Amino acid sequence: SMEADKNDNVNTNKKNVPPPTKSRRIEKSLSPQLPLPKQKQQQTLSYGGINVDPSLNVPDPTDPKRMSYIDQRKRPQVVWMVNLISRLVQEEEDTPCASQADDNVLHLIDIGGGRGDLAIAVAAYFAQEQRPKEYQRLRKVHVTVLDVNESSLQAGQQRAQDAMLDSCMSFKLCDITDRSKVLNILDRGETENYMVYGLHCCGGLSEAAVDLALGLGAKYFCVSTCCFRSNPHLACLSNLADTMVCSPVTPTCDIKQKNDTSSSSVSGTTRHKEEKNSSTSSAPQPQPRQQQQHVHDRDLVSSLAVLVGGQGQHRGIHVLNDMRLAAAQYKCKL
């Protein structure tokens, strides 16, 4: 899925850069699925009477730089992501095979959600009692936050309890690369309906999030990428892409990028084929020279992608995210 943030890292000492024009056009052209608060000069954020504003997580509300960041960037990013997630959920609801059983819960998995700025907003959004008639059939939603920062998770859990959202939320201390632990936490039952999302998944964490979506068979993922040189040990898709340059195999798995994306987004839908292809293919055997050149080129592009406000930054972001999607397609086929 997609991403709300234009830049790939946060520096409150830098001049804030306005969101891309493309994103603004896209937001206006896509109607929200449930009532969303007005985004123009919005100073607080609430859904169904529940205050979910990111400013509640600011240690020092008198810090002008931090509050400026909340007003100009964080709050609009949360609203943008909630809007996108709601549209993806509605797409799933509109599919003929979507079950309408009361116990059919859609599990939304927030990767690296920490204190729950986005997760709590998502949970409150879908917990609203007053909905338009055409959206009253939306299934139940449970939000699970996975993070490795225990103190942040505890703070998020407390906020969820204060907002009376703890019944539809879980905060779990977990490394998402530990797949067996993740599956145990999610407690997969007969109905396995998942969406994986994340806001500011730093570097390789965004790739691990997409990889988790593929492993779960999630129909959608919505990942906001940033800090492309962080967490290289999690960059499973980049590592796969380094070997793909040596293979003529073209992936056929249907992972389609959505058109409603901003310049720093990775998003898509996954559809796993039931039938096995009659011709089997193995992972490509890397040729050292080609692979080394690709690693070198990728390193140069990632340096450009983290150059905040630099010329060519957004093109670098597009290139890296397209590479990740191509690797995800290839892995889905394998």
Side-chain angles (χ1 to χ4, degrees):
S1 276
M2 297 347 270
E3 173 164 351
D5 187 25
K6 173 183 177 182
N7 295 326
D8 51 313
N9 57 13
V10 176
N11 187 340
T12 55
N13 293 323
K14 296 288 185 178
K15 183 178 179 180
N16 289 309
V17 181
T21 303
K22 179 180 177 183
S23 296
R24 294 199 296 269
R25 291 201 306 268
I26 290 170
E27 286 192 49
K28 291 179 180 179
S29 65
L30 295 170
S31 59
Q33 304 307 318
L34 295 178
L36 287 172
K38 295 181 180 180
Q39 300 181 33
K40 185 177 180 181
Q41 296 181 347
Q42 185 177 331
Q43 297 303 316
T44 60
L45 178 61
S46 64
Y47 295 111
I50 301 175
N51 188 356
V52 294
D53 197 76
S55 62
L56 297 176
N57 266 336
V58 177
D60 183 8
T62 63
D63 184 346
K65 290 184 178 180
R66 194 62 185 173
M67 294 307 296
S68 176
Y69 167 70
I70 293 294
D71 292 337
Q72 298 183 32
R73 299 187 60 79
K74 187 67 172 182
R75 187 182 298 112
Q77 291 165 10
V78 170
V79 172
W80 197 94
M81 286 287 287
V82 171
N83 193 7
L84 176 57
I85 291 170
S86 72
R87 294 197 299 269
L88 293 175
V89 170
Q90 186 58 44
E91 284 190 24
E92 169 63 12
E93 292 294 324
D94 289 339
T95 58
C97 60
S99 172
Q100 299 302 318
D102 292 337
D103 60 348
N104 188 23
V105 178
L106 176 63
H107 296 272
L108 302 181
I109 306 170
D110 187 319
I111 304 301
R115 298 169 67 92
D117 280 342
L118 176 57
I120 292 176
V122 169
Y125 177 79
F126 286 106
Q128 295 179 100
E129 295 182 358
Q130 295 182 354
R131 303 179 179 184
K133 291 183 179 180
E134 58 269 30
Y135 304 123
Q136 287 181 354
R137 66 187 181 89
L138 282 173
R139 70 181 71 180
K140 297 178 182 179
V141 170
H142 188 91
V143 181
T144 300
V145 180
L146 302 180
D147 204 294
V148 295
N149 189 319
E150 186 172 8
S151 61
S152 293
L153 290 170
Q154 291 174 350
Q157 182 68 56
Q158 185 59 53
R159 277 195 61 194
Q161 292 176 357
D162 295 341
M164 300 179 66
L165 293 170
D166 50 312
S167 63
C168 60
M169 296 192 71
S170 302
F171 290 79
K172 300 295 184 179
L173 183 67
C174 180
D175 183 343
I176 66 171
T177 60
D178 187 345
R179 192 60 54 85
S180 61
K181 185 174 181 179
V182 171
L183 295 179
N184 184 56
I185 288 175
L186 296 178
D187 189 23
R188 291 160 64 103
E190 294 182 359
T191 56
E192 300 175 357
N193 302 294
Y194 298 101
M195 177 192 296
V196 176
Y197 71 87
L199 176 61
H200 294 305
C201 292
C202 294
L205 182 60
S206 61
E207 302 186 23
V210 174
D211 188 56
L212 176 62
L214 294 178
L216 292 173
K219 293 183 178 180
Y220 297 97
F221 58 87
C222 175
V223 179
S224 169
T225 61
C226 70
C227 308
F228 289 88
R229 299 176 67 85
S230 301
N231 299 316
H233 63 291
L234 299 176
C236 54
L237 298 179
S238 292
N239 294 335
L240 177 58
D242 292 338
T243 67
M244 287 171 56
V245 295
C246 309
S247 172
V249 178
T250 301
T252 58
C253 178
D254 182 16
I255 299 182
K256 298 180 179 179
Q257 184 169 0
K258 295 292 182 182
N259 293 327
D260 53 337
T261 69
S262 66
S263 60
S264 50
S265 306
V266 172
S267 68
T269 64
T270 62
R271 293 291 184 269
H272 296 272
K273 295 186 176 180
E274 297 294 337
E275 306 85 1
K276 291 186 178 180
N277 197 319
S278 58
S279 60
T280 58
S281 61
S282 59
Q285 297 298 321
Q287 300 174 8
R289 182 176 299 178
Q290 290 176 289
Q291 185 176 4
Q292 291 173 8
Q293 183 62 47
H294 189 270
V295 172
H296 175 71
D297 292 345
R298 178 164 58 82
D299 183 68
L300 292 178
V301 175
S302 64
S303 297
L304 177 63
V306 298
L307 188 60
V308 179
Q311 184 176 6
Q313 180 198 11
H314 302 300
R315 180 169 296 184
I317 291 174
H318 273 299
V319 168
L320 291 175
N321 284 340
D322 285 345
M323 177 200 70
R324 289 163 161 174
L325 286 172
Q329 289 177 321
Y330 188 89
K331 184 166 186 177
C332 184
K333 178 190 175 184
L334 295 179

